[in-house]
Amino acid sequence: MSLSQPNTFSPGNVGKSAQNWHPQPSRSLRPAAQPLYRQNVFLNLPIAGRLTLGFVIAALIAALASGVVGIQRAQSLSRQTDFYHSLLQYNTSLTTGRGFLELMDSKLHQTLEDASAPNPSHETLTADIAALNNLATLYTQTLNNYAQNDLLDQHTDQLALLNEGGDGNLAPQQRTLTSSTQRTWQFYQSAQQEILNALSGATISSDALKSAQLVLQQQGEPTNADALSALHSLIQLNDRLASAVDNATNVEVHNQLLTTLLATACAFLAIALVGWFISETLVRRLRHLHRVTRAVEEGRINERVLVSGRDEIAEVSSAVNAMVDTIVGLLEETRQQRDALAGAAEHLFSDMRIVNAGDLRVSAPVGNDPIGVLANAFNFTVGRFRRFILRTQTTVEQLDVISHQGLERSQSFISLVRSQLRDTGAPHSSSAFATAPARTAPNTGPLRSGLSKATISSPASEHKLALVQQLQQTQDTLLQATRDDLSKRLTVTRETVEKATVSIGRLSELISTRSGTMTEKMVQAQLQELVALEQLLNRLTWEVRQTQFNSATNFTRLDTAFTNLARSVADRPEPAAPESSAPWPSVADTQYQEFVRQAGSFAVEVHTLSKRLTVIIQEMRGSITPFRLEGLASMGEPVKTTANLPPAEFSQAASGKLISNW
Amino acid sequence: MNSRVFYRRLSFVKRATRSLQLIALALGMLLLFAGCAGPFGSVPAPLSGHIGVDGSTALQPLVSKAATLFQQTYPQVHIDVKGGGSLTGLKDVTTRKVDIGDSDIYADPATYPDPNLTDHLVCVIPFTMIASSDVPITNLTQAELVDIFTTGKYTNWDQLHGPNLRIVPIVRPSTSGTRATFRKYVLGGRDELSNLVTIDSSQNVVKTVAQTPGAIGYLAASVLDPQVHALSIDGYTDTLPNIEAGHYSFWSYEHMYTLTDNGLLDAFLNFMLTSQVQQQAFALHYIPTSDLKFPQLSSNTPAAALSAPYALVERQRYRS
């Protein structure tokens, strides 16, 4: 809401934000630094270094995994190759052994054939026997070699390979077949030896030859067949060994696949873990930073980033903390300013209330802030107003004094006239004249009573009647001027002043509530109030001016009336004298002259009085003249000229204008 | 403010979706690997089928016992064990009438030249000479045995310091591996007399010898029965130490020859070598191959040092 319309100020929003900005007492301004992580040395590395480290570790893990797989594969291949190589060797040696066996069989037959020749060559026989013995020795060596070196039992790695393929039982079979080969060889060798023993003599008897042939037939050939068969089985075992190695290879390939899979999974997990770890050292704190900035954005200015480590993020976090600290300081300062402003406004408001109560002696303290400017204007207005009221008061007092003087004069005039009348002898009318004004005097004030007494003092003559009428008119005019119009005007003025006070009160209230946030709107509102106040003051001025004007007119009329009266009194002394002398011929000339003198002096008094009144009115007009001139010029102007100005400049300009206007 | 919250939620969902995609990709790769590994890691199908075995009656008790045990483990497998003699077994396996030919003797490469004929040594069988219970003699020399069976020199037990009782030699037919072994290792390759009583199986030899007064015969130790009593040869009985030392040569490896190669046969032949069957073999008076020590060959002292039976007989003969 506040984001979409940042310039609208609803009272609820203002209250909420003001509440949010108040420091919460449960938390200290800067929370104690709790370790966000346990002390992590990685956080002290710069981000680039950390990433490099992460990549290097990941690469190491991958290399390790592939290395393990590769080494396993290489070892397996090497074992297989070794095994096949050994198998080839075994096969070659055993096949050679079978060649020996077959050679021995044929050589034995050839030896017997040589021996059964009519004249056997001893040398040939010896060579044959030596060859046979040699073959026997070679075959024995072959078998012994095989039994001692080539058995699976002596090659644990080969045995392990076979066990992997599930063909571990080939080892005991090989052992058994070997022992079987050896046993058959033993029997064949003994038979062969028997034959050779029979033929080894210097001369070979026919019996020995027969015996040898018998042994060869009955014993040698079957045992030779057995030996060959046993050896054949042993050679066949190599085939089975080869297929077993093949099985083992398959199993190993499968195992390698599993290992590869496992290594891949492990490497994946480990690399993912490294990546997660590295990213966590970045992302977590960045999120924290983001959270804190959002919290500050939402108004919780007490939130601070917990700085851990010494990398770039830590630097940024510290910078953010410092920035928020600065902002909070500024806010605090602003708040203090606002409080001071509110105090000043409150003071101004109380001053206004005092003014409203009628005490115009106040003087609001003036400062540099807008409230001070307002106070200055207020002081100025109140001063002007006070001076105006004082002048009016003085004027009224002067008028009162004048009226009193007039009363005294008229009373003395009346008493003179009454004594003259008493002297001439018309007591009835005198009493009647005396009682009638006495009844009316308390209501009309001293001026009227004085005048009425003065005006009714001429009883008979036409001249006197006209004078009385003229005096009556003057009295009425004066009464009207003093009572009706002036009082009405003063009432209106008082009401206007009350309105102005109320307006000032509103203004001060506005200032006291909004003085903390002096924005454009508030200032505009204040200005509107000020304009209203100004209008009121203008009206007041107008009313006062009207009063002045009316009083001036009245006083002018009064002056004219008195002048006429004076003139009529002065112009008609001749007709008056005869007339006055006519009804009262008995009256002494001195008395009449005294009366004339009194009347003349009265007229002069009234003349001077009216002159003094004119002077007073002129003085008042002079004092009120600035109101009239400047008040008309400032009507409605400030709102138009200052509507587009920013608040600060506006207030400055407005205050300046207001000051200049007043 | 609301729109911002919505955006953050959206971004969270986006992030979660992305990480889920990543995990799914990784899992897919793993599954791909597992799929590659599948054929190698497949479990072999349960064994089933038929195995025909015949041949040596000396080995028959062990093979029958092993077949029973094997069929208990694998009920789908049916093993048919018959006798008939070692040579019958060799002949039947080379003509593919049976899958396994039991034999007490080696298959002569000249007779059975098929290179695929494969020898599986399952155990050692000691043979022993037996006599009917009314013959008190417990020991005969090899020469005396030659004279009884080959030359016909001894026909009455009193010639051998026994009771006056006619010697009735009981022999096996020519298909018998026991007979071949007897000829090769006891008679020194000589033929038996042609007019002797021939019994077709080792089991029947026990009965016949027990029922015939003065009878003498030979059989495998596995079928030896208390009805008859065993004779030592040259003072040596058919014990393992005597065999290992070379004093007693009337023994043989038991061969199971095969011509073809399949999983079922491999399984059964391997089963024959398991300790379970080997223990049965020991109980049946066979000698497990693992028990038999290695004979040490010596090129310097050939036949003379050994008890070469033929040489011994011949020497005695020529001396006499």
Side-chain angles (χ1 to χ4, degrees):
Chain A
M1 46 184 183
S2 59
L3 291 168
S4 56
Q5 292 174 326
N7 289 328
T8 26
F9 286 100
S10 63
N13 188 23
V14 169
K16 187 183 161 200
S17 61
Q19 193 180 5
N20 283 345
W21 282 356
H22 274 295
Q24 295 164 10
S26 60
R27 287 177 163 182
S28 60
L29 196 65
R30 186 182 277 275
Q34 300 159 356
L36 194 58
Y37 317 96
R38 285 170 313 222
Q39 197 52 42
N40 191 340
V41 285
F42 283 103
L43 297 184
N44 296 338
L45 285 175
I47 288 175
R50 211 181 308 156
L51 286 178
T52 312
L53 193 69
F55 281 124
V56 165
I57 289 173
L60 274 178
I61 289 167
L64 203 68
S66 59
V68 164
V69 170
I71 286 170
Q72 195 199 19
R73 175 87 184 135
Q75 278 180 342
S76 164
L77 274 176
S78 152
R79 277 162 72 192
Q80 288 167 32
T81 314
D82 285 351
F83 205 132
Y84 280 123
H85 186 242
S86 310
L87 275 182
L88 195 63
Q89 269 189 336
Y90 306 159
N91 213 37
T92 311
S93 66
L94 289 178
T95 313
T96 314
R98 188 166 62 184
F100 292 155
L101 269 181
E102 283 162 358
L103 273 174
M104 276 189 270
D105 191 40
S106 63
K107 195 71 182 173
L108 204 55
H109 278 95
Q110 195 191 343
T111 310
L112 269 178
E113 261 179 46
D114 288 344
S116 20
N119 283 314
S121 158
H122 191 261
E123 190 184 332
T124 309
L125 276 177
T126 310
D128 287 344
I129 290 167
L132 275 171
N133 279 331
N134 186 36
L135 280 174
T137 309
L138 281 175
Y139 186 62
T140 306
Q141 276 177 358
T142 303
L143 282 188
N144 275 342
N145 200 32
Y146 184 81
Q148 283 162 17
N149 300 325
D150 297 343
L151 285 184
L152 291 170
D153 295 332
Q154 274 113 27
H155 299 272
T156 49
D157 52 337
Q158 296 178 358
L159 204 58
L161 191 69
L162 288 180
N163 280 327
E164 273 179 28
D167 294 309
N169 57 351
L170 284 175
Q173 282 189 37
Q174 186 194 34
R175 214 160 45 225
T176 312
L177 285 171
T178 309
S179 63
S180 141
T181 310
Q182 286 179 336
R183 181 183 186 223
T184 50
W185 164 239
Q186 280 177 345
F187 273 94
Y188 177 59
Q189 198 185 13
S190 66
Q192 185 186 9
Q193 204 62 42
E194 196 66 34
I195 293 163
L196 292 185
N197 283 344
L199 298 178
S200 61
T203 54
I204 303 163
S205 63
S206 61
D207 277 353
L209 194 62
K210 247 186 210 170
S211 163
Q213 277 171 345
L214 194 69
V215 169
L216 178 64
Q217 186 197 342
Q218 291 182 340
Q219 188 85 350
E221 286 179 8
T223 50
N224 182 261
D226 282 357
L228 271 177
S229 178
L231 188 62
H232 178 69
S233 298
L234 196 57
I235 292 169
Q236 267 184 328
L237 185 75
N238 286 333
D239 285 346
R240 285 197 275 161
L241 280 175
S243 68
V245 171
D246 209 33
N247 286 341
T249 306
N250 282 342
V251 170
E252 283 213 336
V253 165
H254 180 227
N255 287 344
Q256 281 164 15
L257 215 64
L258 280 180
T259 311
T260 311
L261 209 63
L262 203 69
T264 309
C266 284
F268 176 79
L269 283 178
I271 291 170
L273 204 69
V274 166
W276 177 81
F277 184 75
I278 297 291
S279 84
E280 196 64 5
T281 60
L282 302 175
V283 171
R284 197 160 146 201
R285 288 185 301 155
L286 282 177
R287 281 201 195 123
H288 175 64
L289 187 58
H290 179 234
R291 203 162 54 238
V292 169
T293 52
R294 276 198 61 79
V296 171
E297 182 188 333
E298 286 163 5
R300 298 198 298 278
I301 53 170
N302 296 329
E303 297 273 339
R304 288 294 181 280
V305 187
L306 301 180
V307 179
S308 50
R310 289 200 293 269
D311 59 351
E312 289 87 341
I313 292 176
E315 285 170 14
V316 171
S317 301
S318 305
V320 166
N321 277 352
M323 186 184 75
V324 174
D325 282 347
T326 309
I327 289 171
V328 166
L330 287 174
L331 279 176
E332 194 67 20
E333 199 177 325
T334 311
R335 200 166 57 84
Q336 283 170 1
Q337 284 179 355
R338 182 203 58 188
D339 285 349
L341 218 54
E346 185 65 29
H347 199 256
L348 186 60
F349 178 63
S350 64
D351 285 348
M352 282 177 181
R353 267 191 300 204
I354 291 168
V355 170
N356 195 22
D359 190 355
L360 296 178
R361 292 168 300 176
V362 294
S363 174
V366 176
N368 289 330
D369 50 2
I371 297 298
V373 172
L374 280 178
N376 195 14
F378 173 73
N379 284 347
F380 195 75
T381 309
V382 170
R384 280 285 182 113
F385 191 63
R386 188 174 62 218
R387 282 200 294 278
F388 170 70
I389 297 293
L390 282 173
R391 282 234 177 100
T392 312
Q393 196 179 4
T394 316
T395 310
V396 169
E397 279 169 4
Q398 283 175 347
L399 283 175
D400 197 23
V401 167
I402 289 168
S403 66
H404 271 290
Q405 282 177 353
L407 180 63
E408 284 171 10
R409 298 287 178 191
S410 60
Q411 266 179 349
S412 64
F413 185 65
I414 285 166
S415 60
L416 195 69
V417 170
R418 195 177 292 166
S419 66
Q420 201 171 17
L421 280 176
R422 203 181 297 128
D423 289 344
T424 53
H428 59 279
S429 63
S430 170
S431 64
F433 282 135
T435 50
R439 278 196 299 273
T440 54
N443 293 331
T444 54
L447 197 64
R448 184 202 164 107
S449 62
L451 281 172
S452 67
K453 283 169 188 169
T455 49
I456 301 166
S457 60
S458 57
S461 71
E462 194 183 337
H463 174 69
K464 277 186 182 174
L465 259 175
L467 194 68
V468 165
Q469 278 177 354
Q470 217 167 10
L471 277 172
Q472 190 76 38
Q473 274 183 352
T474 314
Q475 178 207 7
D476 287 345
T477 311
L478 198 62
L479 189 70
Q480 205 178 354
T482 51
R483 186 185 171 191
D484 298 341
D485 193 65
L486 195 62
S487 69
K488 199 172 75 189
R489 290 291 168 190
L490 282 172
T491 307
V492 171
T493 308
R494 203 191 66 217
E495 284 172 359
T496 314
V497 167
E498 277 175 1
K499 280 184 187 173
T501 310
V502 168
S503 177
I504 289 169
R506 271 211 307 274
L507 184 62
S508 71
E509 191 181 357
L510 198 66
I511 288 163
S512 69
T513 52
R514 303 286 299 130
S515 56
T517 55
M518 289 297 286
T519 60
E520 198 181 340
K521 283 284 165 186
M522 300 182 213
V523 172
Q524 277 185 5
Q526 286 176 6
L527 267 175
Q528 282 171 1
E529 281 298 325
L530 281 175
V531 167
L533 182 60
E534 191 182 14
Q535 285 172 355
L536 282 174
L537 285 174
N538 282 333
R539 189 154 165 230
L540 181 63
T541 310
W542 185 77
E543 286 292 339
V544 168
R545 203 163 59 222
Q546 203 70 24
T547 311
Q548 282 176 348
F549 181 71
N550 286 345
S551 359
T553 319
N554 288 333
F555 285 133
T556 314
R557 282 215 313 261
L558 202 60
D559 185 26
T560 334
F562 280 122
T563 314
N564 286 341
L565 189 61
R567 195 184 299 147
S568 63
V569 169
D571 286 349
R572 296 178 190 183
E574 301 304 325
E579 277 177 8
S580 57
S581 62
W584 298 301
S586 59
V587 174
D589 194 37
T590 54
Q591 268 188 334
Y592 180 70
Q593 280 187 348
E594 177 70 15
F595 173 71
V596 169
R597 195 179 53 85
Q598 285 281 347
S601 69
F602 177 72
V604 169
E605 286 280 337
V606 170
H607 183 69
T608 51
L609 191 69
S610 54
K611 271 191 176 172
R612 280 177 65 188
L613 272 174
T614 310
V615 169
I616 289 166
I617 286 160
Q618 284 294 330
E619 198 181 324
M620 284 178 72
R621 188 178 293 160
S623 70
I624 292 168
T625 303
F627 279 110
R628 183 192 307 162
L629 289 173
E630 292 167 15
L632 279 171
S634 63
M635 281 289 284
E637 281 299 309
V639 179
K640 286 176 187 171
T641 52
T642 58
N644 296 327
L645 286 172
E649 297 172 32
F650 170 72
S651 59
Q652 291 283 336
S655 59
K657 201 155 206 151
L658 285 172
I659 290 167
S660 69
N661 282 347
W662 277 323
Chain B
M1 195 178 278
N2 287 332
S3 65
R4 187 163 294 200
V5 167
F6 180 66
Y7 166 73
R8 292 177 82 190
R9 232 175 245 162
L10 195 76
S11 72
F12 172 75
V13 167
K14 216 169 167 183
R15 206 160 43 199
T17 312
R18 274 177 61 188
S19 54
L20 272 178
Q21 279 175 348
L22 204 70
I23 290 168
L25 190 71
L27 281 179
M29 281 173 63
L30 287 179
L31 279 177
L32 200 70
F33 276 120
C36 289
F40 297 95
S42 61
V43 182
L47 293 170
S48 66
H50 174 264
I51 302 176
V53 186
D54 72 358
S56 167
T57 52
L59 187 58
Q60 195 176 353
L62 179 62
V63 176
S64 297
K65 188 75 189 173
T68 310
L69 290 171
F70 194 73
Q71 287 174 97
Q72 280 172 5
T73 313
Y74 302 99
Q76 302 285 314
V77 180
H78 181 249
I79 301 174
D80 193 15
V81 184
K82 288 182 190 139
S86 297
L87 291 174
T88 309
L90 284 173
K91 202 181 86 187
D92 287 350
V93 74
T94 47
T95 54
R96 297 173 191 270
K97 275 173 75 177
V98 293
D99 300 302
I100 299 173
D102 297 340
S103 172
D104 302 335
I105 56 169
Y106 290 94
D108 188 349
T111 317
Y112 309 102
D114 194 330
N116 291 323
L117 191 67
T118 310
D119 190 4
H120 301 272
L121 299 179
V122 291
C123 62
V124 167
I125 178 86
F127 297 101
T128 185
M129 301 305 300
I130 55 168
S132 63
S133 52
D134 49 7
V135 176
I137 291 172
T138 57
N139 182 47
L140 289 172
T141 63
Q142 196 174 358
E144 286 166 350
L145 285 171
V146 169
D147 284 337
I148 289 170
F149 282 91
T150 301
T151 60
K153 183 179 171 186
Y154 299 122
T155 55
N156 198 304
W157 286 110
D158 60 3
Q159 291 173 296
L160 299 164
H161 314 290
N164 184 12
L165 199 63
R166 199 170 66 91
I167 297 175
V168 184
I170 308 291
V171 296
R172 298 286 306 280
S174 60
T175 56
S176 169
T178 310
R179 174 175 173 266
T181 310
F182 179 68
R183 279 185 61 210
K184 203 176 283 175
Y185 293 106
V186 179
L187 301 185
R190 294 175 183 79
D191 284 335
E192 292 167 338
L193 295 168
S194 57
N195 56 348
L196 298 179
V197 179
T198 304
I199 303 298
D200 60 352
S201 82
S202 301
Q203 287 78 6
N204 288 338
V205 167
V206 176
K207 290 179 199 163
T208 311
V209 169
Q211 290 161 6
T212 310
I216 181 171
Y218 48 85
L219 46 64
S222 57
V223 290
L224 188 62
D225 197 83
Q227 294 172 342
V228 295
H229 74 270
L231 305 174
S232 59
I233 301 171
D234 294 331
Y236 295 109
T237 55
D238 58 345
T239 57
L240 180 62
N242 288 341
I243 289 170
E244 279 178 348
H247 299 309
Y248 190 82
S249 59
F250 189 21
W251 60 273
S252 172
Y253 288 102
E254 287 292 2
H255 309 259
M256 291 177 84
Y257 279 98
T258 58
L259 201 60
T260 55
D261 195 12
N262 62 49
L264 182 58
L265 283 181
D266 275 351
F268 183 61
L269 290 169
N270 286 332
F271 181 68
M272 291 299 296
L273 294 174
T274 57
S275 59
Q276 188 186 5
V277 177
Q278 293 291 311
Q279 279 169 9
Q280 290 290 332
F282 185 75
L284 291 169
H285 302 284
Y286 297 92
I287 297 173
T289 50
S290 56
D291 289 356
L292 190 65
K293 290 266 171 42
F294 228 39
Q296 285 301 310
L297 289 185
S298 171
S299 55
N300 298 327
T301 54
L306 298 165
S307 66
Y310 183 80
L312 178 68
V313 173
E314 288 303 301
R315 232 175 271 129
Q316 283 174 347
R317 168 166 305 172
Y318 289 118
R319 211 174 292 142
S320 64

